[in-house]
Structures are given as structure tokens and as C-alpha cells.
Amino acid sequence: MQTLKSNNESNSEAERRIERLSLHLNPILNLTWNHHPLEMENCSRGKKLIVDANSLTGYMRGKYRDIQEKVFDYFNANPQLQTPLEISKDNHRELCMNQLLGLVREAGIRPLHYVVHDPAKYFAILEAVGSVDMSLGIKMGVQYSLWGGSVINLGTQKHKDKYYDGMDNLDFPGCFAMTELHHGSNVQGLQTVATFDPITDEFIVDTPNDGAIKWWIGNAAVHGKFATVFARLKLPNYDAKGISDMGVHAFIVPIRDMKTHQTLPGIEIHDCGHKVGLNGVDNGALRFRSVRIPRDNLLNRFGDVSRDGQYTSTLPSVNKRFGATLGELVGGRVGLAYSSVSVLKVAATIAIRYSLIRQQFGPPNQPEVTILDYQSHQHKLMPMLASTYAFHFATTNLVEKYAQMKKSHDEELVADVHALSAGLKAYVTSYTAKSLSICREACGGHGYAAVNRFGSLRNDHDIFQTFEGDNTVLLQQYRTSRLLHSVAVRLQKHSKPLGQFGAWNRCLNHLLTLAESHIESVILAKFIEAVQSCPDPSAQAALKLVCDLYALDRIWNDIGTYRNVDYVAPNKAKAIHKLSEYLSFQVRNIAKELVDAFDLPDHVTRAPIAKQSGAYSQYTQYVGFE
Amino acid sequence: MQTLKSNNESNSEAERRIERLSLHLNPILNLTWNHHPLEMENCSRGKKLIVDANSLTGYMRGKYRDIQEKVFDYFNANPQLQTPLEISKDNHRELCMNQLLGLVREAGIRPLHYVVHDPAKYFAILEAVGSVDMSLGIKMGVQYSLWGGSVINLGTQKHKDKYYDGMDNLDFPGCFAMTELHHGSNVQGLQTVATFDPITDEFIVDTPNDGAIKWWIGNAAVHGKFATVFARLKLPNYDAKGISDMGVHAFIVPIRDMKTHQTLPGIEIHDCGHKVGLNGVDNGALRFRSVRIPRDNLLNRFGDVSRDGQYTSTLPSVNKRFGATLGELVGGRVGLAYSSVSVLKVAATIAIRYSLIRQQFGPPNQPEVTILDYQSHQHKLMPMLASTYAFHFATTNLVEKYAQMKKSHDEELVADVHALSAGLKAYVTSYTAKSLSICREACGGHGYAAVNRFGSLRNDHDIFQTFEGDNTVLLQQYRTSRLLHSVAVRLQKHSKPLGQFGAWNRCLNHLLTLAESHIESVILAKFIEAVQSCPDPSAQAALKLVCDLYALDRIWNDIGTYRNVDYVAPNKAKAIHKLSEYLSFQVRNIAKELVDAFDLPDHVTRAPIAKQSGAYSQYTQYVGFE
């Protein structure tokens, strides 16, 4: 993998994928290409696999099911806390805050404890809370992962002593003020400044221009009392330049009075207004005008300023400090990748359960056919179901790795989690976003009823592609791109006038494709491991089938690349296509069991068209028929 | 085209596409493959085309711009009629009705007149109205295309005499009650019955079971006074069977009292509730219990019942009558394809205008780069811009053909419009739906602000994929599938046990792919015609470039197929890819002019981030900064 045989990077990537796939697929590829195609024509398409759904559920079910059920039970017992289909923005925000307060103060679930001591359990809570209302999931994430996480991970003991309890019990609702109007992805380009004043021992926080207004800051428009503000730390010095820019640091800035809740002097807050989704979250825009904060409010784990204005850090450069700072925030990406899979599970479950009861057309003078029996419908939903399984294992593994990393701080693990979280977040959220539209369409008109969930799932999830790093930008952080740096170097040689940036831009599409291919094979490798570790033979056989479909579907999606480098002969390409249609058909035969194994009861899926009994009658009753 | 040389249908389809493309592309393929690739490496990527944006606008601009401006002016002058970002479902419905009343009674725009006499002008009004609020576009479509159109096209003179004026001036708001809870796509499977009672000379309309409840009926939940109800016409006769089912016919059923607006006896109406989008339209569910209507209320153009219960028709069979009935409703599909392109224009304009002002990252120590200068961003938006142009010409042509068809009733034209409207509606609406998500993502966080339009555009447009026929079902109506019937026949020979339905299902994915390929080449053919007809040389050069990008992008999307049948050699495949990246770059250089030529002023696009001057400052002012 480290030494490249040819100049053609995509060959090398294709080689790796094919190698990995062939290890796994050889048995079916060999067997099937010799026998199945004929059988497919001449027999009734093989036998239905018998799956023990319970043992599959047991294998899939998360370790933290108990606390998830506690979340579900709490909201089921408190219907006044459930979000109605129609609610104004302002009421939704109040409701969302009350949901969070209820969870923390009544149900006694204390997320900050798990952020610090058991991240995997924290993500499980986040998943359950997000299925109640994704706005609540994000609101909780802002309070505990972002505001809480930034204080704990970027601050030192003095900050924990002062803020932990208030963050934990929601006396101190807070914000994470990083993004600016002009800068989202390019965090190093942030322009807000915090200048040290050695006379008063304070930092003065300023918004130097409108482009530096903090924008999209969750919890800022209504509820926040504090904000972690990312700003360029400036120190006065006495050389020719007059002032030193130490790069982006994080500061705690109180934004509202603890008693009156009035906005504090020098701080201007406006409401960012309606969003496509997540309207339960109060995103605001903040401008600072000479806001003075004590020196202690610098979150000083990676860099500090002494009373006399001297800068100290264990890290040698601006870039190293910036990397360490952002590195502590990787949990957000882990959470988004993981939650995105749970959104995909809900959507796939609704679409598949409905497709199993919906009938339309059929052979002449015979009963109508269940729409999931149509090849075209299987093609829409079965590879998606297979991907959901693949992503389940990949993100579960990521969460485990992240939890280990927080304990061990092992360097290799840190690098692995960083790369994996960026790649999986980008790949999975893009896939889920597309799938939500496919699921809606697969359910036709009834998929357009708000009560059947696809609208809110899609609108709420949509921004997952942008949150915590734009997907296109994130894919480039993937470590494969380091491996592939040589491509850029070569291109650079050929095109000196373009410079390194131009050369990189010239092969950007190529790099993105390689990053996607790479993350696909990582996901497949995790899936294969999960199949191999499954203790129950019938569950294992089902998982093997699903894994095969996942692998073949990905190859088929990219068949042009494989064919271009002649890694797959034309007849093999056709066989791959036929086989993936055949596997879709086989997966369809156990689709009910595969969906049941996601363990989503009706009170979580909620959509009337997906109820496990009497879906149509629950739907007619919902609109008012008796 | 008619005789197939080989057994491989996809070869034949690929052959047609390549033939058509090569006619158009040969000059650039030959020229470019010899020269450009090297130039690309060694020079500053060619010269920017100079485009005279005005002459391009002139060529693109619709014939009916005057009436569109009348629509825009009316709503600009009546801010109380503009839809706010936050509005309850019930208020939105009232507002939407008031918008329509204002348009018809105050602005004096009478859509029904154009439905009958100038369909192209009607579609232009629909486009303008849809850009004000898509709910209004659909509400207008329900009243005039569906309710009005069904009475005019399926009824006879007596119906026009009685209903025309009331439909025209909105005294008679009406519904189109076709879809049932259990049947959307399969209209022949509808179960509502209308049984003739020869004693009272009436039809008795009944909902025989809950699955036959009319569902999603626009205008039914609140405003409708009448409904065109599709039901199985049953005639009592005196043979052994006792009753004859004459198939699905359309009937006018009064549903609410003209004075009190109370629901009439025997009719139960419920509100279908919140939808993913289009909440200004009041969709309802209707159940009929022995509702009696006069015999005259049968819309009797294609089949009639005499006073003594005898059925007469100029058409010989149930299937022919059903085909003629549905055939009259093709205007809906034409309108959706056409409106979908206008949604795509708005979205592409917003995304591209913003991408031209947004800057992020850049070479070290140099100013940040406009995001549209990134290859990955060009890849997202430039082929989409090219497709928008392609669809513009294809749907404009469809509207012209439809208008001719309504005048001439020429049989060949009828067949052509039917096939083309099904194919274009399915292809264009699917493409637009995907593109709306890509545009949102391309604008990052600011694309998620509701005021920047992507949310409502996507939510409102989403159902275009299902309206007037599910896209997957529609693609199969495309006439190519007749041409390809032989595939099914062959498959049938090989798989007798499956029967014709099973054999068709077994090659359904294949048929759908072929239908898509075919519609792509039809669109390309229209685009090439439009390029050739363009009188201004600079506009023509720009269109040619855009057309080349459209063609190459489609080939590249499907490169696996081309490679599998060895129509494109590996080195040519690579060259196609490089060339389409190069053309994307060239199109980027004239992206501003190409978008300006869509002729969408700021008061139509509305998104602050897409304002043609001071976008950022309009955005900060919008949220409340001074």
C-alpha cells in the first residue's frame, strides 16, 4: 500500500479495493458466475433464507439500550413535551429547551457526565434524543459536546471548577461561537480578535468588520448565557510591529446577564431566523464591540498568557496549536456520523415497511403486487438497506475507537479516529441525505404527508452535510489524500505556472473520488469483520448476503472506473450487475427481518404508514375517519 | 432505429446516442483530443469566451414575458399577498386562496381562457405564479388545469355552458378527485363506484371500502364546491351478472353547499393535514355514502348513458375509453416539466451567484479564492447549469408542441406529446429534485437559512416526482419501451414459468435505464437544434459550449455502459472526463452571463445571498444588523 508501482494512482486504489473485495467475494463470485445466472433464468430465483430475527436483533442492538429506553419512556410519559407537526419557530425553541430541561432535571439524565466518562453512552443518548426531535439532539449537542466539550477539552482545571456544574445542570446554557459570516470551513481565516490589555489584565473582544460577525451560533438567539468564542489572540509587544497575532484561540465570553437575561454591554445579538429544518434550535448572530473579559477566560490548555502579557505554550507553532485545538473537537463528527446512521435506519424502516404493505398493479386478472416485489423498487431500497447495515458497523466501531482514544490518548488511535471520523461523517451524511429523498419518493404521495416523517427527517438532517466541516472539505482531510500527495506533486511538475494550489485544484475531483473509494473499502472491511464475528449461523448468513450486496453495489456504481483500468472484464461487469440484482431480490425476501433487527418500535418510527399492524387504518384514523 | 442488428438492446441504444453525439461533438472531440489536453497543462486554460449577455437573454426569454411581469408587478404592489417564511397551515391556505382571487379578480388574469385558447401562455402564467409561491401555482393548476380542464376536455357543451363562468371567476372552486388511498399510479384499479339508477335518472356515488377513500384531493379540505370524481360506471342490466362495470369515468359531484359552504349530505371530508411542502394547498380526503347526482353530471365526451340506461360510446373498448380520458389530462405533465425547469433556474441562479461572491481558503499568503474557482465546486454546479439550459429548450419545445396538438389534434403529434411529456416530466423533475439538494449544500450554512429559498423550493418541488404519475411508472410509458418490448419477449422465452409480468419485472431496471438514455438523447437533440438556430454568433458560441458540456457530462455519467459495450476506448473515456472538467472550467468563466440570461431579477430570486449587489450586507440587514 505504501509503495506505488505505477504512475496511475487510481489503478493502485482500484487494486486495493478489488483485492479486499476478492478476499470476501471470491466464493460467491466463483460459485455464482458458474451457476447462478442459469439458475436465475430457469428456477424460481433460489430459496428464501430463514433468519432468526431475534438473534440478529441481539447482535445489532447497542450496548446502551437501557438508557435509550429511559429516554423514550420519559417522552412517552410526557406528551406535552412531544413536538407537534405544526409549531412556530419561537414555540419550538421554548419547547426544545423544556425537553432538554426535562431530560436533565426530571429524567435525571446527565449528558455531561458521559461526555467526560463514557462517550459511547453519550452518543447512544444523543441517538435516542435525536429520534424524539432532531432539534433536541442538536440543542443537546450544542450544550454538552460544543459548549461543554470546549470548556472541558480546551480549558484547564480552573474552568472545570467554575463551569462544570452549571453546564451539567443547565444553569449555564452556552454557545460555541466559531463560524463567522465570511468564514465557516476556513477556521484559520476567522477575524474576530481578542487583544490582551496588560493594564486591566483583560482581553478585549472585537468584531473588526461585518464579515467577522459570528453566525449560526446555536443557543445564542434565545437561551445562551455564555459563549466559547474563537478569536485571534493578539498581544501588544514593543517591537516594530507593535502587536503579535498568536492565531485562533478560544475564550469564554459571558453574553447575557445571569439574573435579568439581558444581553451584556458591547454585545449585539440577532436571530438568524428560520432555517430549512432544526427550528427548535435558536441560532443567532453576534457582534462584539470592545467586550472585556478577565484573562482567566482564555481556555488555556494549549496556550496561555501570563499576567505580564507573555505567551507560553507546550506546542511550538501556531499551526500545531490550531491543530491541537480543533483536534479536541473531533467528537462532533463522530456524533454526526453515528446519528446520521440512525436517521437512515428510521427512514429505511418506514419506506420498507410501507413498501411491504403497499400494492399496485400486477399481472392481468390477478391480485395486485406488493411494490417491494418490483425490481425497480428493490433497486431503490435494497442496496440502501445493505448500506445501512454497513454504516451501522462502521460507525459503531468508530464510536468504540473514539471512546478508547479518550482514555488512552494513543497517538496512532488519535490519527485513526481523526481520519475515520472525517471520512465517515462526509460519506455517511451525504448518503443519508440522498436516501431520504429516495425513501420519500418510494412511498409516493403518502410519503409526502408530514406525519410520515420524511420531510422533517430530511430538513433536519440536511445540514449534517455542512455541520462540523463541509463534506467536500472534510473528504480532503482524509489521510488517503496524504498518500496521494504525490499526484499533486507530479501534476505540479507538469504545470509549474499553476503553483501548488493550482495543481491541487486541478486534480481536486480526482482526489475526492479517491477519498470516497477509500472510505468505501474501509466501511466494507468493518462490515466483513462484523460478519465474521457474528456468533449465530442464521444471522451470519443474512449478514453475509447483505454484505455481498453492499460490496457489489459499490463496485457497480463505479463500474466505469473499473472498466477504464481494465480490472473488470466486460462479461464480469455484466455478471456483477446481474448478481447485484439477484442479491437485491434475495435481500428483499428477508427485508422485514432485516428491518425489524434495527429494533425501532412504532413509537420511535411514528409514521402511520409504517405501523407494524393496521398501517392503513391508523393512517385513516389519523386524518379523522372513524 | 427500427431494426435491431444484435440481441443486445443496450448496444443499439448506445449506438443511437453515440451517433447523435458524434455528429455534434466530432469537431471538438477531434480538435480537442489532439490539442487541448496539452494546452490545458501548459497554458492558463484557454481564453475566456466573450458573451453578449443581452443577446443571449433575448434568445432565451419567453414569448410571454409581458404577462409574467404583470404577475410579478401585481404581487410586488400587494405585499399583504406575499407569503411570509413562517405561516400556519390554515393561514397559508387562506392566503393562497386570496392570492388566486387577487390574480383573477383584481389583476384580471383569467387562466381558464388560456387553458382553452393559448396553453403556452397559460404555462407562462403558471411559471410566474409558481415563482411567487409554488402553493399558488399548484392551487391554480388544480382549479384550472385539473378541475377546469377535466370539465372542458372530458365534458360536452352542456357542461361548459353550466360551469365555464363559475370556474373562470372562481365562484366555483373545484377539485379533481382521482387518487384513492389504495390507488395512485394504478388508475384503472380505482374502486369508487357510480351506479346508474334508472328510476330517478341519477348516479349513486359510493366509496365501497376505506381503501377507496379519495385522498390528496387539492381544494377539497377547505375551498372546493365541486369535484370531478373518477369512479367505475356501473349499469344495472338484466342478464345473469346483474350489473355491468363500464370502467372508470368522470362525474361532477357537488361537495359543498353553494351558500352555506356546508359539506353536502353523504359526503365526509377530512383534512389530509400537513405535508412536506405546498401547505398553501388544502388537500382533503373524501368518502361518499350513496351520493346522488343527476345523469347529466357524467362527463360524457367519450361515453354516455341514455335515459333508459344504455351505454353509448364512439370508442370500442374500456381500455380505449380509459386511454382517451387520461389522454386529455396530459397538460398536467407538460406543466410540471416546464415548471420544474423554472424551479431549477431559480436554484441554480441562487447557488451560482452566491458561489461567485463567496470566498474561502486560497494559496498561502494570497487572497482567498472564489469558491466557484474550485474544481470540485465547478463539478457540482456547471454540468447542472448546462442541464438547465438543455431542459429549457426541451420543455419550451414541448409546450409549443402541446399548443399545436390542442389546435390540430394531429395523431402523430398526440403520440409524440404523450411520450415526450411523460419522459421529460420524469427525467426533469428527478434531476431538479437532486439538484436542489446539491445547490443547498453548495451554499453551505447560508444555504440552510430559510430566507435563501432552497428549503421551500425543495419541499414544494419534491412531490413533482409523484404528481401526475410516479416518475418510475412514467418512464415505462415512454415509447422506447415499446421498441424494447422485444427484450421482454426474449426474456419470456427463457423464463416461461415467470409469465409475461414476471419477465417484464425481471428486466425492469434495464428498461428504465434505456428510457432514461433515450430521453437524454431527445433532450440533446433539441439542444443542438437550439444552438443551430441561435442568430447571434457570440450567444451561439456560448450555447455550443454549454451544449458540449451537457453531452459529455451525460456520457461520463454512464461511462460504465459505454465501456462495457466497448463503444468508448479507455483512453477516449479518460479524454471525455478531462474534457468535461475543462468545459466546466470554461463554462465557469461565463457562468455569470449564463445565469443572467435566465432573466430572473432579484425580486423573483429573493434570496439575500444571491442579490446582484451587496448580497452580504442585505443578508446582515435581513437578520437585524444595521
Side-chain angles (χ1 to χ4, degrees):
Chain A
M1 257 177 80
Q2 300 303 323
T3 53
L4 300 172
K5 289 175 220 154
S6 81
N7 278 347
N8 191 326
E9 292 286 344
S10 66
N11 276 17
S12 154
E13 180 63 25
E15 218 168 293
R16 275 198 300 282
R17 292 178 79 187
I18 290 286
E19 267 168 29
R20 180 160 278 159
L21 288 167
S22 64
L23 285 174
H24 180 64
L25 288 172
N26 262 343
I28 43 161
L29 286 180
N30 292 338
L31 273 175
T32 320
W33 288 354
N34 293 332
H35 305 290
H36 276 171
L38 271 180
E39 284 173 26
M40 278 166 65
E41 304 294 333
N42 292 323
C43 77
S44 57
R45 309 200 89 188
K47 277 156 204 143
K48 182 182 161 170
L49 218 58
I50 305 295
V51 192
D52 177 0
N54 281 338
S55 88
L56 194 54
T57 307
Y59 189 59
M60 298 284 292
R61 188 195 282 267
K63 271 189 284 185
Y64 300 103
R65 189 64 181 183
D66 290 352
I67 199 151
Q68 293 191 323
E69 284 185 353
K70 195 170 167 186
V71 172
F72 297 147
D73 290 347
Y74 174 71
F75 285 102
N76 281 334
N78 288 279
Q80 81 285 0
L81 287 181
Q82 285 160 26
T83 313
L85 286 181
E86 177 166 303
I87 184 167
S88 71
K89 169 178 66 77
D90 292 343
N91 289 342
H92 195 178
R93 290 166 169 190
E94 278 317 299
L95 177 62
C96 192
M97 190 66 199
N98 288 331
Q99 289 169 336
L100 189 59
L101 284 165
L103 196 76
V104 171
R105 296 185 181 173
E106 279 186 32
I109 292 172
R110 290 294 175 96
L112 197 59
H113 177 79
Y114 304 113
V115 167
V116 179
H117 299 289
D118 191 350
K121 194 163 182 176
Y122 172 72
F123 292 125
I125 297 168
L126 203 62
E127 180 185 20
V129 157
S131 80
V132 172
D133 182 340
M134 192 52 79
S135 285
L136 176 58
I138 299 301
K139 184 94 175 170
M140 188 177 119
V142 168
Q143 174 68 15
Y144 296 106
S145 310
L146 295 181
W147 157 236
S150 60
V151 172
I152 286 163
N153 294 312
L154 304 179
T156 49
Q157 194 57 43
K158 64 182 177 187
H159 300 109
K160 283 173 220 169
D161 292 344
K162 186 165 176 185
Y163 295 99
Y164 188 98
D165 289 344
M167 297 191 299
D168 181 44
N169 65 21
L170 287 172
D171 280 347
F172 296 172
C175 317
F176 181 82
M178 179 183 271
T179 299
E180 296 175 357
L181 176 62
H182 280 188
H183 287 100
S185 296
N186 186 6
V187 177
Q188 276 192 292
L190 295 178
Q191 294 179 54
T192 301
V193 288
T195 310
F196 182 61
D197 177 353
I199 298 167
T200 61
D201 198 23
E202 292 172 318
F203 290 104
I204 309 165
V205 181
D206 262 303
T207 303
N209 58 61
D210 281 2
I213 294 171
K214 293 291 178 183
W215 208 275
W216 290 128
I217 309 308
N219 242 348
V222 182
H223 296 118
K225 300 275 194 207
F226 298 90
T228 295
V229 175
F230 288 80
R232 318 193 77 79
L233 168 54
K234 297 212 171 178
L235 292 176
N237 56 18
Y238 306 98
D239 63 11
K241 281 166 115 184
I243 209 144
S244 298
D245 183 336
M246 309 307 295
V248 173
H249 286 65
F251 303 83
I252 296 178
V253 180
I255 58 170
R256 286 191 178 89
D257 187 274
M258 286 304 293
K259 284 184 189 159
T260 66
H261 204 62
Q262 289 296 305
T263 305
L264 292 171
I267 292 173
E268 183 179 358
I269 304 179
H270 291 285
D271 186 342
C272 288
H274 288 85
K275 301 186 294 292
V276 171
L278 299 179
N279 280 305
V281 183
D282 53 316
N283 294 81
L286 293 101
R287 181 153 60 184
F288 304 101
R289 287 194 180 83
S290 303
V291 175
R292 288 180 168 267
I293 54 168
R295 183 167 54 93
D296 268 347
N297 284 23
L298 168 64
L299 292 169
N300 59 339
R301 179 169 160 206
F302 296 119
D304 204 357
V305 173
S306 64
R307 177 64 192 89
D308 61 347
Q310 298 304 310
Y311 187 81
T312 53
S313 174
T314 51
L315 297 165
S317 70
V318 169
N319 280 347
K320 287 266 176 197
R321 291 193 291 271
F322 180 74
T325 301
L326 289 202
E328 283 302 325
L329 307 172
V330 71
R333 282 176 199 161
V334 175
L336 284 183
Y338 187 75
S339 293
S340 182
V341 180
S342 73
V343 171
L344 183 56
K345 281 181 190 169
V346 171
T349 299
I350 296 172
I352 291 169
R353 284 192 176 146
Y354 175 68
S355 298
L356 284 165
I357 61 155
R358 180 72 173 179
Q359 300 180 325
Q360 207 79 180
F361 298 104
N365 307 315
Q366 284 181 46
E368 287 186 296
V369 166
T370 298
I371 58 174
L372 199 54
D373 284 327
Y374 287 94
Q375 193 188 50
S376 53
H377 220 72
Q378 289 165 15
H379 179 65
K380 279 177 194 164
L381 297 178
M382 294 302 98
M384 185 194 297
L385 179 57
S387 300
T388 312
Y389 267 81
F391 300 166
H392 167 91
F393 293 113
T395 55
T396 303
N397 175 267
L398 172 65
V399 164
E400 283 164 10
K401 274 194 179 150
Y402 175 79
Q404 283 168 25
M405 176 196 94
K406 293 300 271 184
K407 274 188 194 160
S408 71
H409 300 281
D410 175 81
E411 263 194 36
E412 201 174 318
L413 204 53
V414 169
D416 205 22
V417 167
H418 279 220
L420 206 58
S421 63
L424 277 178
K425 183 273 186 182
Y427 190 82
V428 169
T429 60
S430 289
Y431 189 93
T432 297
K434 286 189 196 88
S435 299
L436 288 166
S437 288
I438 294 168
C439 286
R440 199 298 294 159
E441 208 201 336
C443 295
H446 299 316
Y448 200 59
V451 72
N452 290 322
R453 305 276 313 272
F454 297 118
S456 58
L457 289 174
R458 182 172 59 195
N459 288 336
D460 289 346
H461 178 277
D462 185 18
I463 197 65
F464 280 34
Q465 297 174 98
T466 304
F467 268 169
E468 298 276 340
D470 173 86
N471 282 354
T472 305
V473 176
L474 276 190
L475 276 178
Q476 295 166 56
Q477 295 187 12
Y478 206 77
R479 59 180 167 177
T480 322
S481 54
R482 268 183 252 157
L483 188 87
L484 294 161
H485 189 65
S486 51
V487 183
V489 171
R490 263 200 316 283
L491 229 169
Q492 196 183 2
K493 280 187 199 158
H494 290 296
S495 52
K496 277 200 177 159
L498 296 176
Q500 195 174 349
F501 182 83
W504 161 83
N505 193 22
R506 186 66 60 83
C507 59
L508 187 48
N509 289 338
H510 186 182
L511 284 166
L512 289 169
T513 306
L514 288 168
E516 280 184 6
S517 305
H518 187 75
I519 191 74
E520 279 176 2
S521 28
V522 170
I523 293 169
L524 180 62
K526 293 294 155 209
F527 200 170
I528 293 172
E529 277 174 36
V531 174
Q532 286 164 348
S533 310
C534 183
D536 176 82
S538 100
Q540 190 178 40
L543 288 176
K544 171 88 167 57
L545 174 65
V546 173
C547 186
D548 291 348
L549 176 57
Y550 173 75
L552 283 177
D553 179 64
R554 289 313 131 97
I555 298 180
W556 180 250
N557 274 348
D558 228 1
I559 196 68
T561 308
Y562 288 108
R563 288 283 300 115
N564 284 341
V565 294
D566 272 323
Y567 268 85
V568 177
N571 64 332
K572 289 252 167 169
K574 261 191 197 168
I576 286 172
H577 186 56
K578 279 212 166 175
L579 188 53
S580 71
E581 282 183 347
Y582 176 67
L583 294 179
S584 283
F585 167 79
Q586 286 219 317
V587 170
R588 178 261 170 272
N589 279 335
I590 55 167
K592 183 188 174 304
E593 291 81 358
L594 288 169
V595 156
D596 288 350
F598 292 149
D599 205 13
L600 294 169
D602 285 353
H603 65 264
V604 173
T605 54
R606 298 205 293 274
I609 57 167
K611 297 283 180 182
Q612 289 173 85
S613 69
Y616 275 127
S617 65
Q618 296 206 41
Y619 189 37
T620 52
Q621 281 163 29
Y622 168 76
V623 309
F625 290 97
E626 280 171 15
Chain B
M1 258 175 79
Q2 301 300 323
T3 53
L4 301 172
K5 289 175 221 154
S6 82
N7 279 348
N8 190 325
E9 293 285 346
S10 66
N11 277 16
S12 153
E13 180 62 25
E15 219 169 294
R16 276 199 299 284
R17 290 177 82 188
I18 291 284
E19 269 168 27
R20 180 161 279 161
L21 288 168
S22 63
L23 285 174
H24 180 63
L25 289 172
N26 263 342
I28 44 159
L29 286 179
N30 291 339
L31 272 176
T32 318
W33 289 353
N34 294 333
H35 305 291
H36 277 169
L38 271 180
E39 285 173 26
M40 277 164 67
E41 304 295 332
N42 293 323
C43 76
S44 57
R45 308 200 89 185
K47 279 157 203 140
K48 182 182 160 170
L49 218 59
I50 305 296
V51 192
D52 177 0
N54 281 337
S55 89
L56 193 55
T57 307
Y59 188 59
M60 298 285 291
R61 188 194 280 267
K63 268 190 286 186
Y64 299 103
R65 190 63 183 183
D66 289 352
I67 199 150
Q68 293 190 325
E69 286 187 350
K70 195 170 165 185
V71 171
F72 298 146
D73 290 345
Y74 175 70
F75 285 101
N76 281 335
N78 289 276
Q80 82 284 2
L81 287 181
Q82 285 161 25
T83 312
L85 285 182
E86 175 165 304
I87 184 168
S88 71
K89 168 177 69 76
D90 293 344
N91 289 343
H92 195 178
R93 290 164 169 191
E94 279 317 299
L95 176 62
C96 192
M97 189 67 199
N98 287 331
Q99 289 169 335
L100 189 59
L101 284 166
L103 196 76
V104 171
R105 294 184 183 173
E106 277 186 33
I109 292 172
R110 291 296 176 94
L112 196 60
H113 177 79
Y114 304 113
V115 167
V116 179
H117 299 289
D118 191 350
K121 193 163 182 175
Y122 173 72
F123 291 124
I125 296 168
L126 204 61
E127 181 185 20
V129 157
S131 80
V132 172
D133 182 341
M134 193 51 82
S135 285
L136 176 59
I138 299 301
K139 184 96 176 169
M140 188 178 120
V142 169
Q143 173 69 14
Y144 295 106
S145 310
L146 295 180
W147 156 237
S150 61
V151 171
I152 285 164
N153 294 312
L154 304 178
T156 49
Q157 193 58 42
K158 65 183 177 188
H159 300 109
K160 282 173 222 169
D161 292 344
K162 188 165 174 185
Y163 295 99
Y164 188 97
D165 289 344
M167 297 189 301
D168 180 44
N169 65 23
L170 287 173
D171 281 346
F172 297 173
C175 316
F176 182 82
M178 178 183 271
T179 298
E180 296 175 356
L181 176 63
H182 280 187
H183 288 98
S185 297
N186 186 3
V187 177
Q188 275 192 294
L190 294 178
Q191 294 180 56
T192 302
V193 289
T195 311
F196 183 61
D197 177 353
I199 298 169
T200 61
D201 198 22
E202 291 172 320
F203 289 103
I204 308 166
V205 181
D206 261 304
T207 303
N209 58 61
D210 281 2
I213 293 170
K214 293 293 179 184
W215 208 275
W216 290 129
I217 309 307
N219 242 348
V222 181
H223 296 119
K225 301 276 195 205
F226 299 90
T228 295
V229 174
F230 289 80
R232 317 194 76 79
L233 169 53
K234 297 214 171 177
L235 292 176
N237 56 17
Y238 306 97
D239 63 12
K241 281 165 113 183
I243 209 144
S244 297
D245 183 337
M246 308 307 294
V248 173
H249 287 64
F251 303 83
I252 295 177
V253 180
I255 58 170
R256 285 192 178 88
D257 187 273
M258 286 304 292
K259 282 184 191 159
T260 67
H261 204 64
Q262 289 297 304
T263 305
L264 292 172
I267 292 173
E268 184 179 356
I269 305 179
H270 291 286
D271 187 340
C272 289
H274 289 84
K275 300 186 296 291
V276 172
L278 298 179
N279 280 305
V281 183
D282 54 316
N283 294 81
L286 293 100
R287 182 152 64 183
F288 303 102
R289 288 193 178 84
S290 303
V291 175
R292 289 180 167 268
I293 53 169
R295 182 167 54 92
D296 268 348
N297 284 23
L298 168 64
L299 292 169
N300 60 340
R301 178 168 160 206
F302 296 118
D304 205 357
V305 173
S306 64
R307 177 64 194 87
D308 62 347
Q310 299 303 310
Y311 187 82
T312 54
S313 173
T314 51
L315 298 165
S317 69
V318 168
N319 280 347
K320 288 263 177 200
R321 290 192 292 269
F322 180 74
T325 301
L326 289 203
E328 284 301 327
L329 307 172
V330 72
R333 282 176 200 161
V334 175
L336 284 183
Y338 187 74
S339 293
S340 183
V341 181
S342 72
V343 172
L344 183 56
K345 281 181 190 168
V346 171
T349 299
I350 295 172
I352 291 168
R353 283 191 178 149
Y354 176 67
S355 298
L356 284 165
I357 61 154
R358 179 75 172 177
Q359 298 181 327
Q360 206 79 181
F361 298 104
N365 305 317
Q366 284 180 46
E368 288 187 297
V369 166
T370 299
I371 58 175
L372 198 55
D373 283 328
Y374 287 95
Q375 192 186 50
S376 53
H377 219 74
Q378 290 165 15
H379 179 65
K380 280 179 193 162
L381 297 178
M382 294 302 97
M384 183 194 299
L385 179 57
S387 299
T388 312
Y389 268 82
F391 301 166
H392 167 91
F393 292 113
T395 55
T396 304
N397 175 269
L398 172 65
V399 163
E400 281 164 12
K401 273 194 178 151
Y402 176 79
Q404 282 167 28
M405 178 198 92
K406 292 300 271 184
K407 274 187 192 159
S408 72
H409 300 281
D410 174 79
E411 262 193 38
E412 202 174 317
L413 204 53
V414 169
D416 204 23
V417 168
H418 280 221
L420 206 58
S421 64
L424 277 178
K425 183 270 188 189
Y427 190 83
V428 170
T429 61
S430 289
Y431 188 94
T432 297
K434 285 190 197 91
S435 299
L436 287 167
S437 289
I438 294 168
C439 286
R440 198 298 293 159
E441 209 200 335
C443 295
H446 299 316
Y448 201 58
V451 71
N452 289 323
R453 305 280 310 274
F454 296 118
S456 58
L457 288 174
R458 181 172 62 194
N459 288 335
D460 288 346
H461 177 277
D462 186 19
I463 197 65
F464 280 34
Q465 298 173 97
T466 304
F467 267 171
E468 299 273 342
D470 172 86
N471 283 354
T472 305
V473 175
L474 277 189
L475 276 178
Q476 295 167 56
Q477 295 186 14
Y478 205 76
R479 61 182 167 176
T480 322
S481 56
R482 267 182 253 157
L483 186 87
L484 295 161
H485 189 65
S486 51
V487 184
V489 171
R490 261 199 318 279
L491 227 170
Q492 194 183 5
K493 279 187 200 161
H494 291 296
S495 53
K496 275 198 179 163
L498 297 176
Q500 195 173 350
F501 182 82
W504 162 82
N505 194 20
R506 187 65 61 82
C507 58
L508 187 49
N509 289 340
H510 185 181
L511 284 165
L512 290 170
T513 306
L514 288 167
E516 279 184 5
S517 305
H518 187 75
I519 190 74
E520 279 177 1
S521 28
V522 171
I523 292 169
L524 180 61
K526 293 295 155 209
F527 200 171
I528 295 172
E529 276 175 37
V531 174
Q532 287 165 345
S533 310
C534 182
D536 175 83
S538 100
Q540 190 178 41
L543 289 175
K544 171 87 168 54
L545 174 66
V546 174
C547 185
D548 291 349
L549 176 57
Y550 172 76
L552 283 178
D553 178 64
R554 290 311 132 100
I555 297 181
W556 180 250
N557 275 347
D558 228 0
I559 196 70
T561 310
Y562 289 108
R563 288 284 299 117
N564 283 341
V565 295
D566 273 325
Y567 268 86
V568 177
N571 63 332
K572 288 252 166 168
K574 262 193 196 165
I576 286 171
H577 185 56
K578 279 213 164 174
L579 188 54
S580 71
E581 282 183 346
Y582 177 67
L583 293 179
S584 283
F585 167 79
Q586 285 220 316
V587 169
R588 178 263 170 273
N589 279 335
I590 53 167
K592 183 190 176 302
E593 291 81 358
L594 288 169
V595 156
D596 288 350
F598 291 150
D599 204 14
L600 293 169
D602 284 352
H603 65 266
V604 173
T605 55
R606 298 204 293 274
I609 57 166
K611 297 284 182 183
Q612 290 172 85
S613 69
Y616 274 126
S617 65
Q618 297 207 38
Y619 190 37
T620 52
Q621 281 164 29
Y622 168 77
V623 309
F625 290 96
E626 276 169 18

